[in-house]
């Protein structure tokens, strides 16, 4: 289903860059179809017209025909030159040179994506927000192994290489949510390295970015589950991997959780981000996403309720 989905997505480009790739694919497929038809038709014609029949002797033999040889050399040469010109044009349109400073730095991890907006300082996981109609320059990196960043509707693929930043542009013509994948095998949970690109009008994008820059709101003090969850989060080893701005947690091994509850998906797309799914995730992450590096803490029911209550306040 996912494969079929990505094929359909490739067929509906939603920005100028992927559209140039799509147009090239369409034109070259048309040229290939014409060649295929002509060759097949000629072979069938020759089979029927010149087949051996009772009483026939061998046909007359020819050695060399300059006119024919020039023709069948010239035609492929013209086709190759035309395809080369079209490809060079599509490459220029699909892959403009990167600007000196990227708008978003994307880092592939086993098995999730971190997105940093260096100009504002916003940090998210598995969810990029972009303003509609404005090309965004991405710098794509990896924290561990090779990954590959691909949003079929919005741009070409780009490999995330450890120690070697690559560049790509993405842009969306229309507001909407677009699905992205990792398309380089990178270990057990390669299939669950999804992310979303949320394209929204300028105002909404700015509002989202401003909200992401706020430090996490501390839950009301006192005898309530969220406050207990906040304390629990700091007492356990959660801060050894995660960041929550405004608290002592500032590690970068796992996703930044400062605005965790504002995200739509959990575990890089493995489930929707709902309180019930979060509870299942915390109860045993390995059951929801086998192989994930988040350990099973064997929380009891009370601890689960407190942590869920706290994390749900992180809008
Ligand atoms: Cu990351 Cu496949």
């Amino acid at each position: 289903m996912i494969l079929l989905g990505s094929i359909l997505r490739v067929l509906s480009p939603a920005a100028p860059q992927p559209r140039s790739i799509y147009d090239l694919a369409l034109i070259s497929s048309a040229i290939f179809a014409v060649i295929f038809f002509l060759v097949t038709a000629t072979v069938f014609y020759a089979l029927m017209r010149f087949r051996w029949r009772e009483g026939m002797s061998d046909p007359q033999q020819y050695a060399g025909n300059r006119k024919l040889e020039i023709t069948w050399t010239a035609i492929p040469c013209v086709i190759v030159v035309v395809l080369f010109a079209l490809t060079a044009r599509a490459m220029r349109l699909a892959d403009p040179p990167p600007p000196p400073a990227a708008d978003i730095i994307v880092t592939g991890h086993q098995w999730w994506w971190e997105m940093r907006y260096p100009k504002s300082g916003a940090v998210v996981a598995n969810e990029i927000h972009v303003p509609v109609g404005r090309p965004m320059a991405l710098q794509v990196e990896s924290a561990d192994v090779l990954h590959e960043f691909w949003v079929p509707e919005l741009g070409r693929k780009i490999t995330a290489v450890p120690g070697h930043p690559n560049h790509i542009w993405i842009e969306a013509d229309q507001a909407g949510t677009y699905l992205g994948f990792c398309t380089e095998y990178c270990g057990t949970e390669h299939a669950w390295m999804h992310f979303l690109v949320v394209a929204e009008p300028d105002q909404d994008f700015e509002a989202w970015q401003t909200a992401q820059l706020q430090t996490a709101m501390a839950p009301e003090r006192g005898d309530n589950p969220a406050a207990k969850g906040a304390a629990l989060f700091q007492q356990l080893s959660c801060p050894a991997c995660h960041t929550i701005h405004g608290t002592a947690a500032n590690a970068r091994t796992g996703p930044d959780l400062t605005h965790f509850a504002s995200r739509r998906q959990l575990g890089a797309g493995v489930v929707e981000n709902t309180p019930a799914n979060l509870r299942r995730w915390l109860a045993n992450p390995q059951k929801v996403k086998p192989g994930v590096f988040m350990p099973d803490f064997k929380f009891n029911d009370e601890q689960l309720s407190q942590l869920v209550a706290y994390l749900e306040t992180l809008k």
Side-chain angles (χ1 to χ4, degrees):
M1 277 317 282
I2 286 172
L3 180 68
L4 183 66
S6 45
I7 291 171
L8 293 178
R9 284 187 181 89
V10 170
L11 298 179
S12 49
Q17 287 100 346
R19 203 167 295 121
S20 63
I21 299 173
Y22 174 76
D23 290 345
L24 174 66
L26 219 59
I27 297 169
S28 4
S29 304
I31 296 175
F32 303 153
V34 169
I35 296 173
F36 178 78
F37 174 78
L38 288 178
V39 171
T40 321
T42 312
V43 168
F44 271 98
Y45 173 76
L47 276 175
M48 306 316 286
R49 173 80 174 69
F50 302 108
R51 66 188 299 182
W52 184 85
R53 290 182 181 84
E54 203 65 50
M56 272 174 104
S57 58
D58 279 353
Q60 201 184 337
Q61 302 293 307
Y62 297 97
N65 182 325
R66 179 167 297 182
K67 224 190 242 171
L68 259 182
E69 281 170 22
I70 291 176
T71 312
W72 72 43
T73 308
I75 293 176
C77 283
V78 170
I79 295 171
V80 168
V81 169
V82 169
L83 284 176
F84 177 81
L86 289 172
T87 307
R89 179 177 166 272
M91 283 169 74
R92 191 170 52 80
L93 292 174
D95 202 16
D103 296 307
I104 309 174
I105 297 175
V106 177
T107 309
H109 293 255
Q110 283 176 316
W111 293 277
W112 58 284
W113 299 92
E114 181 191 70
M115 290 87 177
R116 295 185 165 256
Y117 291 67
K119 290 169 190 168
S120 69
V123 183
V124 263
N126 308 317
E127 193 174 302
I128 303 180
H129 285 240
V130 297
V132 170
R134 207 199 304 166
M136 298 291 270
L138 268 57
Q139 178 174 317
V140 180
E141 309 177 348
S142 168
D144 36 49
V145 299
L146 290 181
H147 300 276
E148 194 155 66
F149 176 98
W150 190 34
V151 192
E153 285 144 303
L154 304 186
R156 68 186 190 92
K157 291 181 179 182
I158 190 86
T159 308
V161 184
H164 179 91
N166 279 327
H167 295 89
I168 189 178
W169 290 89
I170 59 166
E171 182 181 350
D173 290 339
Q174 286 182 357
T177 303
Y178 304 89
L179 187 58
F181 315 85
C182 177
T183 52
E184 172 93 38
Y185 182 72
C186 55
T188 319
E189 282 299 342
H190 156 70
W192 285 116
M193 250 187 98
H194 287 187
F195 58 96
L196 298 176
V197 179
V198 182
E200 47 201 2
D202 258 332
Q203 276 173 321
D204 294 359
F205 169 72
E206 293 304 338
W208 170 82
Q209 188 160 244
T210 310
Q212 293 295 315
L213 291 169
Q214 308 295 313
T215 47
M217 272 226 287
E220 256 179 72
R221 282 165 180 281
D223 191 25
N224 64 77
K228 286 182 177 164
L232 198 59
F233 187 95
Q234 299 296 331
Q235 285 157 21
L236 298 167
S237 49
C238 313
C241 290
H242 296 283
T243 290
I244 296 182
H245 284 295
T247 76
N250 63 359
R252 283 181 61 184
T253 308
D256 185 310
L257 300 176
T258 311
H259 296 285
F260 164 80
S262 73
R263 294 177 208 149
R264 305 179 188 191
Q265 297 182 320
L266 189 60
V270 76
V271 284
E272 293 299 304
N273 190 4
T274 64
N277 283 336
L278 175 59
R279 196 186 175 92
R280 271 177 60 214
W281 175 270
L282 292 169
N284 187 353
Q286 300 298 326
K287 254 191 182 157
V288 184
K289 188 170 176 176
V292 66
F293 290 129
M294 167 110 172
D296 175 7
F297 285 93
K298 312 220 181 303
F299 296 125
N300 62 37
D301 271 353
E302 199 187 5
Q303 288 174 319
L304 283 174
S305 302
Q306 292 169 350
L307 284 169
V308 171
Y310 170 52
L311 292 168
E312 289 300 323
T313 66
L314 301 176
K315 298 274 188 218

